[in-house]
Amino acid sequence: MAGLNFGDVLDTAPPGSAQARALRAQRQAEPAPPEHTPALSTAAATTIHQQPQVDVTVIELDKKGRPRSSGTVLMSPRYKDGVVVPVDGNLHTTAVRYRLWDTGQWDAGNGQGTTDTVPGRENAPLDFMEPYPASIIKLMVGFGIMQLVDKGAINLSDTYAYTPTKPSDRCEGATTRTIGEYFDRMITISDNGATCSLIKVMHEHGGVDWLNQRFQDIGLEMLQLKGTDPANGDWSDYVTMSSLDTAKLLALIDGVPGRAWTAPNGEPVTSNVLSASSREFFMKELGDQGWNNVLSTTNYCGYSYPAQGMPQRISQRWIGADGTVTVNNDPTDGKYVHPVQPCQDAAEVTFAHKTGLTAFAAGDAGIVHSLPGKPKRDYIIVAFSNLGWRYIDTNRPMDPPVQPAVNRTEKFAKLGRAMDAYEAGR
């Protein structure tokens, strides 16, 4: 991670600029489709003024899907070269005083947050303001919905009429779809309106407060879906996730035979927190993710930029007759111009994952399994950062522009490639 030089990206909205003031007037949470790139001028771009916040976890899995080892690294102005987080046998840490993300505090306060997200950590040796998770929060929503399915409160085939009683820039107007259709749109194309609909479903069944308590009970303290609005299902800047707890959640979704870890009350935590059918459905949806452009960049196959990420075989769902990828039938933001078959042929892994992007955040979280006949590796990788579309690489092509626009640093693609090569050689 240190070798990737995260601190040399360009900031198109440097502190004190008119661009920065305009961004601070917006909500941190994304109001627009995830691949929409606002028109920020690169003329004012300067090298980022301090080491960005980066939080990465890898959990290696044995051949049965059980966690066998893990590593978590944090980077920030305080930890410029990165710091390894101590983790115990339960894949748990009390060594980090996690703080709630605040862009203004990061810009002006040397990356130092002021609001604790987990109580009782005042004496922790590490202090870290966790980046906003952006659309990766949809993993939490998906888990909550599948819990309701398993309880019999709802069915994926149920038709739901979403009728918000309060307007929201992020949430769409009234819609009617099945629960399964909303879920599919939320995960595969990162549809914010579908997410609002499902959060509203959860509120109508008492599922949001229950979900937040459930995460605490099974030792995932940093997974907090807080500040959601029952009137429309919108969410707030108070949602939090850490890479470690997100990776643990993904391990449960992937399926861990027997005890995965021990809960704070001493009870074993197992993948039975979801039924086998719910895990299977969740994994299929994550495998159909359309935005393969952070840790993996197969969508950009054939481009000289961005760099190739992990060698992922993507879902055939988005590949047209001409061999190119179009996500959600969107010719503006979701149309890639080069055929992806060369990268499909060279692929070595599947990557069931969810990406996230705002001006203030970029990340990816998913489960990697090797394809038949390829070097064996099974692992989970999660990366959170504040390097959203506000920041660009010094080598990003400007003329002619890359289409669709690359609105995140390619450093995460390089990280995904390097990490996968390391796991393939283990």
Side-chain angles (χ1 to χ4, degrees):
M1 286 176 64
L4 289 170
N5 297 317
F6 285 100
D8 69 4
V9 296
L10 300 179
D11 186 354
T12 63
S17 68
Q19 293 94 328
R21 290 191 293 272
L23 283 180
R24 281 201 298 273
Q26 299 179 8
R27 299 170 60 184
Q28 289 176 174
E30 63 270 47
E35 291 304 302
H36 175 69
T37 306
L40 282 179
S41 171
T42 58
T46 61
T47 301
I48 191 170
H49 69 285
Q50 59 188 4
Q51 182 75 14
Q53 305 285 120
V54 184
D55 174 13
V56 177
T57 289
V58 174
I59 296 178
E60 295 179 324
L61 306 173
D62 67 17
K63 61 183 180 181
K64 293 185 177 181
R66 297 173 298 202
R68 66 176 185 177
S69 61
S70 74
T72 297
V73 172
L74 306 177
M75 281 183 167
S76 70
R78 179 176 292 198
Y79 313 115
K80 295 180 180 180
D81 296 322
V83 62
V84 176
V85 175
V87 174
D88 64 22
N90 286 316
L91 300 175
H92 184 263
T93 185
T94 58
V96 184
R97 185 178 186 180
Y98 288 108
R99 311 288 194 127
L100 184 68
W101 179 259
D102 185 288
T103 299
Q105 291 178 351
W106 188 82
D107 279 343
N110 197 36
Q112 179 63 50
T114 58
T115 303
D116 289 313
T117 55
V118 177
R121 300 281 184 88
E122 292 80 7
N123 296 319
L126 304 177
D127 196 321
F128 185 74
M129 184 161 61
E130 184 66 44
Y132 174 68
S135 284
I136 299 174
I137 73 155
K138 293 162 187 176
L139 293 177
M140 293 194 289
V141 178
F143 184 79
I145 287 294
M146 299 317 298
Q147 293 272 299
L148 290 176
V149 170
D150 285 346
K151 290 175 178 292
I154 59 174
N155 293 302
L156 293 173
S157 59
D158 289 345
T159 298
Y160 178 69
Y162 172 68
T163 53
T165 57
K166 182 191 296 185
S168 164
D169 290 339
R170 176 166 37 214
C171 303
E172 60 189 341
T175 55
T176 299
R177 296 186 177 100
T178 67
I179 298 293
E181 288 169 338
Y182 282 121
F183 195 107
D184 179 76
R185 293 178 64 86
M186 175 180 72
I187 296 297
T188 65
I189 62 173
S190 206
D191 186 338
N192 289 331
T195 308
C196 294
S197 301
L198 293 180
I199 292 175
K200 195 169 187 301
V201 169
M202 291 169 63
H203 273 293
E204 292 171 4
H205 291 275
V208 175
D209 290 341
W210 181 91
L211 176 66
N212 284 322
Q213 186 59 53
R214 181 65 165 156
F215 285 141
Q216 299 299 306
D217 291 343
I218 62 176
L220 303 178
E221 301 102 321
M222 276 294 287
L223 301 189
Q224 301 175 17
L225 189 66
K226 290 187 174 180
T228 57
D229 191 335
N232 53 23
D234 204 352
W235 61 95
S236 74
D237 296 341
Y238 295 99
V239 295
T240 65
M241 303 177 80
S242 67
S243 71
L244 178 59
D245 282 357
T246 302
K248 291 170 69 177
L249 178 66
L250 287 169
L252 295 178
I253 295 170
D254 185 49
V256 179
R259 186 188 71 87
W261 60 83
T262 300
N265 66 0
E267 294 294 322
V269 178
T270 75
S271 281
N272 290 335
V273 294
L274 288 179
S275 67
S277 60
S278 288
R279 295 198 307 271
E280 181 180 4
F281 175 76
F282 211 148
M283 285 292 292
K284 178 185 180 301
E285 293 296 308
L286 292 171
D288 276 349
Q289 164 73 236
W291 304 114
N292 305 292
N293 50 18
V294 185
L295 290 169
S296 64
T297 52
T298 306
N299 284 15
Y300 282 106
C301 185
Y303 290 76
S304 60
Y305 174 91
Q308 289 187 338
M310 69 172 64
Q312 175 203 7
R313 178 175 293 170
I314 64 174
S315 172
Q316 196 68 29
R317 172 176 176 173
W318 309 109
I319 304 174
D322 64 354
T324 66
V325 169
T326 304
V327 182
N328 194 31
N329 297 316
D330 185 344
T332 302
D333 290 324
K335 175 65 176 176
Y336 297 78
V337 301
H338 296 299
V340 298
Q341 197 58 45
C343 294
Q344 293 285 81
D345 293 341
E348 297 187 10
V349 299
T350 60
F351 187 33
H353 67 125
K354 183 72 196 75
T355 60
L357 177 70
T358 73
F360 315 97
D364 204 350
I367 303 158
V368 180
H369 292 303
S370 52
L371 289 167
K374 303 300 180 181
K376 186 66 174 173
R377 66 273 216 188
D378 299 281
Y379 63 97
I380 294 165
I381 183 168
V382 180
F384 290 124
S385 78
N386 69 315
L387 294 175
W389 51 253
R390 167 180 168 176
Y391 302 98
I392 61 175
D393 291 315
T394 57
N395 62 317
R396 186 177 79 164
M398 298 299 177
D399 187 20
V402 176
Q403 293 294 333
V406 181
N407 48 11
R408 59 182 62 73
T409 173
E410 69 172 358
K411 294 182 186 296
F412 290 106
K414 293 179 178 180
L415 174 63
R417 191 81 178 184
M419 195 67 244
D420 187 72
Y422 172 81
E423 291 296 328
R426 290 275 278 170

